Amino acid sequence: MDLAKLDRRRFLGAAGCLPFVPGCPACARSLYDAPSGRATGRNLRDIVSGRTVDVHTHILAPSWFGRGGQTPRVRSDAEIAAELGANPYLPLDDAAALVRANRDIIDAFEVARADGSAFASAAVLIAEMDRAGIDVSVCQLIDEINRPYRRAYTVDMDTIFADLKAVSDAYPGRFIHYFGVDPRRGAEGVALLRRAVTEFGFAGMGEWITQWWRVMPTDRAVCYPYFEACVELGIPYVNNGSGPDLSHTPEVFEQVLTDFQTLKVLNAGTGVMTDRELAADPARTTLPERLLDVAERHGNFYLDIDDWQRLDAAGNRRTISFLRRALDGPAGDRIMFGTDFPIFTQIVPAASFVDALINATGSSADILSDDDINRLFSRNPLSFLSMKNP
């Protein structure tokens, strides 16, 4: 396997434990000074009075994979740092500093991993949301049939749907669930999507990981019946977009957007890239701008910045620079905040990502205004979700 060409989801799958692998380059060491996700300046609630939204998270229960019911491991800082430092997929400059900064979050993940239940995973997410000032999270359930690098679910989808409905009932108003049904299921998958919406309260289709499934969204026979169902049900569609792949190029999205002009389409990750990824594949350099161009020409195309928290070791300047261009342009009402919890949470907690965005310093060209922050965290996602403030 060529490690240099692994996107972040393949890397996590190859590492073998998606819910609980703290995997990204060594950004947290200097990007965020606030330990354990505690903000260093203004809080999000100081700026935004309306509902705040994270449009991209995942609840992933180990019990769905036949795991859980264990005693949490008791590990020292040195043992955790050694485990991280020995992982070839994690090029960390200072694993020990990472562990010291985020030990309470790492421990919370370990408790949830050992417990295994959806409620335990949801409790970690709720704590992250509360620390960051996030009211609502869009939780995207990814279909796990025939998935490369990882074993599939060991329980049926109705069990998972019921677990997530129970979680939502336990935390009223905090979660919105989407179902990323594998389009290779065919007509049975369309029926399953309909049941998720009508019987279990799901509100969207996604996240589709088309590079896993080796399907093209423009495949009229395989994918278009799902988009037709989304239009009929009045729900949006989310597709992964965190790197160059033939299944989620700007041209692919442009075709779908043209063929389904009333379907809201969200590109997850907006072509996120790191220096290492850029060195391995320079084609990533222009991908975010090309996706933004598509959004500026199609009013039903939305973008989120999940996974961008891992980009910069000096204050998320690339992220803010991209957000400035997006918010100042025709797609300024369709760019939204997302974290991809739990993918990078243990090294870049949600509150740290929020803090870096809302407390950046510099000239007006280098920071987000209060209106920008309101759009990114509240007005834009509420419009995408067809929600209003209470």
Side-chain angles (χ1 to χ4, degrees):
M1 184 182 299
D2 186 349
L3 303 185
K5 294 183 179 179
L6 284 179
D7 64 25
R8 122 280 192 198
R9 289 191 176 277
R10 282 191 170 185
F11 139 62
L12 288 166
C17 191
L18 174 63
F20 307 108
V21 172
C24 89
C27 51
R29 176 181 50 79
S30 56
L31 174 53
Y32 305 109
D33 295 326
S36 303
R38 300 183 182 91
T40 56
R42 297 186 300 173
N43 295 314
L44 192 56
R45 282 280 163 234
D46 297 330
I47 306 167
V48 182
S49 59
R51 282 178 177 167
T52 52
V53 182
D54 181 340
V55 298
H56 196 119
T57 66
H58 306 277
I59 291 176
L60 292 157
S63 61
W64 300 341
F65 301 90
R67 291 175 282 174
Q70 304 168 347
T71 300
R73 295 172 294 176
V74 177
R75 298 174 294 167
S76 67
D77 285 2
E79 287 172 327
I80 298 172
E83 182 179 313
L84 295 178
N87 190 326
Y89 300 98
L90 305 177
L92 302 171
D93 292 339
D94 192 342
L98 172 71
V99 173
R100 288 193 299 272
N102 295 318
R103 181 60 197 255
D104 55 347
I105 292 174
I106 292 171
D107 287 346
F109 270 77
E110 173 58 23
V111 169
R113 182 202 65 81
D115 179 276
S117 69
F119 280 97
S121 294
V124 179
L125 175 52
I126 285 288
E128 277 292 292
M129 293 164 62
D130 289 346
R131 277 192 292 262
I134 298 296
D135 294 314
V136 179
S137 279
V138 179
C139 300
Q140 304 192 32
L141 173 65
I142 301 171
D143 206 341
E144 295 284 339
I145 66 168
N146 301 317
R147 175 180 171 183
Y149 307 115
R150 283 280 310 284
R151 53 183 160 181
Y153 293 137
T154 57
V155 298
D156 59 33
M157 294 308 305
D158 275 17
T159 297
I160 297 174
F161 293 161
D163 279 353
L164 293 175
K165 186 177 186 303
V167 163
S168 288
D169 290 344
Y171 296 101
R174 303 301 302 273
F175 297 130
I176 296 170
H177 295 288
Y178 286 10
F179 178 34
V181 57
D182 185 335
R184 297 172 302 173
R185 287 182 181 266
E188 177 264 336
V190 175
L192 190 62
L193 174 65
R194 290 182 183 278
R195 288 191 57 236
V197 173
T198 59
E199 296 181 26
F200 295 94
F202 281 62
M205 184 177 75
E207 180 184 14
W208 268 19
I209 312 293
T210 46
Q211 70 267 32
W212 278 351
W213 301 325
R214 302 188 186 282
V215 297
M216 296 290 289
T218 49
D219 188 322
R220 294 176 180 271
V222 174
C223 296
Y224 275 33
Y226 289 88
F227 302 149
E228 291 164 358
C230 287
V231 171
E232 181 184 335
L233 292 165
I235 61 174
Y237 146 59
V238 182
N239 203 108
N240 178 52
S242 60
D245 184 88
L246 290 177
S247 70
H248 49 74
T249 64
E251 292 75 21
V252 165
F253 289 117
E254 188 131 31
Q255 184 62 58
V256 172
L257 292 161
T258 299
D259 290 342
F260 294 90
Q261 297 184 24
T262 62
L263 173 63
K264 289 181 178 178
V265 179
L266 171 57
N267 180 276
T270 314
V272 64
M273 70 294 185
T274 63
D275 286 337
R276 182 184 183 190
E277 290 165 337
L278 286 173
D281 189 348
R284 289 177 185 260
T285 304
T286 61
L287 188 57
E289 297 295 341
R290 291 167 58 210
L291 289 165
L292 178 58
D293 176 67
V294 174
E296 292 180 338
R297 290 184 287 102
H298 292 271
N300 55 328
F301 194 45
Y302 295 74
L303 307 173
D304 78 34
I305 57 166
D306 78 89
D307 296 346
W308 281 64
Q309 63 264 45
R310 66 196 177 112
L311 289 188
D312 301 302
N316 250 16
R317 291 302 179 186
R318 270 185 292 179
T319 305
I320 291 177
S321 176
F322 178 76
L323 285 173
R324 275 260 51 86
R325 294 195 298 280
L327 288 162
D328 289 343
D333 59 347
R334 281 171 282 116
I335 182 79
M336 301 177 291
F337 176 77
T339 61
D340 207 10
F341 173 95
I343 305 301
F344 299 116
T345 303
Q346 294 183 65
I347 44 179
V348 186
S352 295
F353 190 19
V354 171
D355 183 44
L357 295 175
I358 71 175
N359 288 311
T361 59
S363 67
S364 59
D366 300 322
I367 62 173
L368 301 179
S369 69
D370 286 2
D371 184 66
D372 294 332
I373 293 165
N374 270 274
R375 283 189 289 163
L376 182 68
F377 287 94
S378 185
R379 296 207 304 269
N380 290 357
L382 290 179
S383 175
F384 172 72
L385 297 167
S386 300
M387 293 175 61
K388 296 181 179 179
N389 284 310

